[in-house]
Amino acid sequence: MSIIDDLKIRYTGSSLLVRFIYINIAVFVVLRLAGFMSFLFTGASVTMVKWVELPSDIYGFLRHPWTLITYMFSHYDVMHILFNMLWLYWLGRIFLEFFNPRQLGGLYVLGGIGGAALYLACYNLIPHLSSQHSLLLGASASVLAIVVGTTLYRPDYPVSLFFFGSISLKWIAIITVFIDVIGIENGNMGGHIAHLGGALVGLWFGLAIKQGHDITSWINRCIDSVVMLFKKRQPKSKTPHKRNAGQGPSYKYHQSTWGNSSSSHPDDQRAARLDEEKLDEILGKLKQSGYAALTDEEREFLFNASRKR
């Protein structure tokens, strides 16, 4: 098995949280390799970063609108991606104790958009900043949205830290936001502004959840629509059946659909019944003990089952 095949298997078999980390690492590797190859063959370090980072001026953004999404999955500094991915994995696992993977993905994207929106607003509306040119890169705003959103839902969740022992999650969020506020004047102004934008989205998510509303539902519907659009464009595959003597060729058509499949084969029916029994068992456990009592495998199964339905 090749390294590429092994990575594909690891990626497809991992949770959404780990997939996001894989995506960030893959983009980082591509950006660094492109810079290295450019230096190796031309002697000049020409990078691809300019195609994925978010410019502060509105005209630059309109010329590269895709950077609204690409910037939140891109890093170029080793310590930057290391810190962000450790932060994402650590707080993301806490988030998933109370919410599902789709909400994690939706909040990640919304947090990044919120950070970009505040960043663009400040650099184009505040006179002192409008004359400056800045570029934004990194997942920090998305991660901070997850941190603050989790904190609003469970502020007293205990977190163990080296040298400090167990402290409440709310103090981690408060200190992190405070550092961003006081750091605005001391370099990386655009980054700190974007972090605060992500924190505001996390605050919105936490307050809305307490009111029974999920602000990530609409962004997940948009993502589902895009995924479905690409699936519809995939060509139908044809698998020839064994022919009987004197008969022409017959084919069984398989078409991939979003969350919908059917089969009359006995083995498939048996597998469907087993899935239904497992789903009933998980739902019973969920009702009795809550979402936090489910294992990672049970959460993934429940997520896949809800997506199919």
Side-chain angles (χ1 to χ4, degrees), residues 87 144 161 164 167-182:
W87 193 237
L144 200 55
L161 297 177
F164 295 98
I167 65 173
S168 298
L169 181 60
K170 62 185 177 184
W171 291 113
I172 295 178
I174 290 173
I175 293 173
T176 303
V177 173
F178 178 73
I179 291 174
D180 280 315
V181 171
I182 64 175

Side-chain angles (χ1 to χ4, degrees), residues 178-199:
F178 178 73
I179 291 174
D180 280 315
V181 171
I182 64 175
I184 289 179
E185 300 180 12
N186 303 318
N188 192 24
M189 183 181 299
H192 290 299
I193 290 174
H195 298 175
L196 294 177

Side-chain angles (χ1 to χ4, degrees), residues 24-70:
N24 277 274
I25 293 175
V27 174
F28 169 79
V29 170
V30 169
L31 292 176
R32 293 307 296 255
L33 280 178
F36 173 74
M37 296 301 291
S38 172
F39 177 78
L40 189 64
F41 289 102
T42 66
S45 182
V46 179
T47 68
M48 297 172 56
V49 176
K50 63 181 180 180
W51 298 105
V52 296
E53 57 191 352
L54 181 68
S56 60
D57 65 288
I58 195 67
Y59 298 107
F61 166 66
L62 292 176
R63 289 195 300 268
H64 302 89
W66 59 85
T67 57
L68 180 68
I69 301 298
T70 58

